[in-house]
Amino acid sequence: MSFSLPLGVSTPQNASGLTPAIKRNAIIPNATKKSTANFTKQLNISYNTNWQNPVVHYSVEGGEWQTHPMQRHIASSGPSWAHFSLEDHQLPADADQTTLELVITNGQGAWDKAPGDQNYKIQSPGRYRLQHGQLQPVTCPPVLVITDLDDTLIGSSVHDDKATLKFTQWWQSHGVPAGGRLVYNTGRALDLFIQLLEEKAHCIAEPDLLISSVGTKIYKKAGSNNSWVQDEEYEKRLGRGWELEAVREAAYAALGAVGTEKNAF
């Protein structure tokens, strides 16, 4: 079973359903305004790159140039994205007309600039993607996708793998730069999940969050080695009032009451 939910308020496509064309000077036209007036203004950039530590250099409204490391979204296969955001308090009061200039470097002398050795420019808050030298508004709405794995997102046949890969390609090309989040909710324990990721590395996307062991554990990636770390607060919450011995005795009593011949264990 799987389902998806919208995250925040999306920036819709224009009337023709097409993304506005990119101008030669890489200045992006004003993005469509949010549908909710009180929604916090943000400026988000997703950058498609193989660089390990991309860094963005930017200036807001012609102000002092600043440097900020981008946060990478590691993909098991396909394109990897790095993200950079400016919140409401970091934008000028008249944020609807904000001009942001930026370039990106790998920190080792390589630079990504707009055609003609120019700075990339954005003229309004919104969500943007930078890929192959083109800076474009993101038109896909951000969504939260939560799905089971076995016999839902994955199967055992070559045809199943092709279907899984089709979703993965869409997710990594559109879902990730739109700010979406992918969560796997599985009965598998962590070790069996990692084994599955290795077996299906050719077709499955790596999630942002893992709910495992039939909802009893939650993991997220953390640390310098980007390993799976258990959410301790969630574990503590589940453990409140839990009496293992009482549950075990009740289970044995129930099994004894129905008789061993009717037990399905």
Side-chain angles (χ1 to χ4, degrees):
M1 179 179 182
S2 62
F3 65 92
S4 61
L5 296 171
L7 296 177
V9 180
S10 63
T11 301
Q13 296 175 326
N14 58 27
S16 66
L18 301 176
T19 301
I22 301 301
K23 296 183 178 180
R24 181 64 181 173
N25 59 5
I27 298 178
I28 306 302
N30 290 343
T32 304
K33 292 184 178 180
K34 305 294 184 181
S35 60
T36 303
N38 294 328
F39 190 82
T40 301
K41 295 183 177 70
Q42 291 183 325
L43 196 154
N44 302 282
I45 299 171
S46 294
Y47 177 53
N48 182 224
T49 181
N50 290 324
W51 289 346
Q52 293 298 313
N53 300 295
V55 176
V56 60
H57 293 268
Y58 68 96
S59 170
V60 179
E61 294 293 337
E64 181 180 354
W65 282 81
Q66 303 179 59
T67 300
H68 198 281
M70 304 187 79
Q71 181 180 0
R72 292 195 68 210
H73 181 282
I74 308 298
S76 55
S77 61
S80 294
W81 295 90
H83 304 283
F84 169 71
S85 298
L86 288 177
E87 303 294 335
D88 188 39
H89 68 277
Q90 297 172 294
L91 299 173
D94 187 16
D96 288 339
Q97 299 298 323
T98 299
T99 297
L100 174 75
E101 294 189 58
L102 66 109
V103 292
I104 300 176
T105 177
N106 65 352
Q108 299 177 355
W111 293 83
D112 186 340
K113 298 181 179 181
D117 201 34
Q118 300 295 310
N119 300 330
Y120 292 105
K121 294 184 180 181
I122 296 174
Q123 291 185 312
S124 69
R127 187 175 292 276
Y128 300 84
R129 58 185 288 163
L130 176 55
Q131 185 175 24
H132 306 314
Q134 292 190 332
L135 184 62
Q136 299 174 301
V138 173
T139 56
C140 176
V143 294
L144 169 64
V145 177
I146 304 175
T147 179
D148 189 13
L149 289 173
D150 297 276
D151 297 321
T152 302
L153 184 65
I154 62 169
S156 56
S157 69
V158 174
H159 176 76
D160 292 333
D161 284 357
K162 289 182 179 178
T164 301
L165 179 59
K166 188 173 183 179
F167 167 77
T168 296
Q169 291 172 336
W170 179 89
W171 181 254
Q172 293 176 345
S173 297
H174 302 282
V176 173
R181 296 293 182 266
L182 179 61
V183 180
Y184 292 155
N185 187 354
T186 176
R188 289 174 176 254
L190 179 62
D191 59 336
L192 295 178
F193 168 71
I194 293 176
Q195 178 182 331
L196 177 68
L197 279 185
E198 295 173 351
E199 293 173 353
K200 298 289 185 178
H202 59 284
C203 64
I204 193 172
E206 193 164 294
D208 298 285
L209 198 71
L210 171 67
I211 304 173
S212 75
S213 303
V214 200
T216 60
K217 296 181 184 296
I218 295 179
Y219 296 90
K220 60 182 178 181
K221 285 293 189 73
S224 57
N225 59 352
N226 201 39
S227 60
W228 291 101
V229 177
Q230 187 173 346
D231 187 328
E232 295 181 357
E233 289 301 318
Y234 181 74
E235 184 179 25
K236 290 178 181 178
R237 181 178 299 180
L238 285 184
R240 292 171 190 164
W242 175 256
E243 298 181 14
L244 178 58
E245 289 304 321
V247 173
R248 181 180 286 121
E249 291 177 7
Y252 283 144
L255 292 174
V258 299
T260 56
E261 68 279 359
K262 295 183 179 179
N263 292 341
F265 304 97

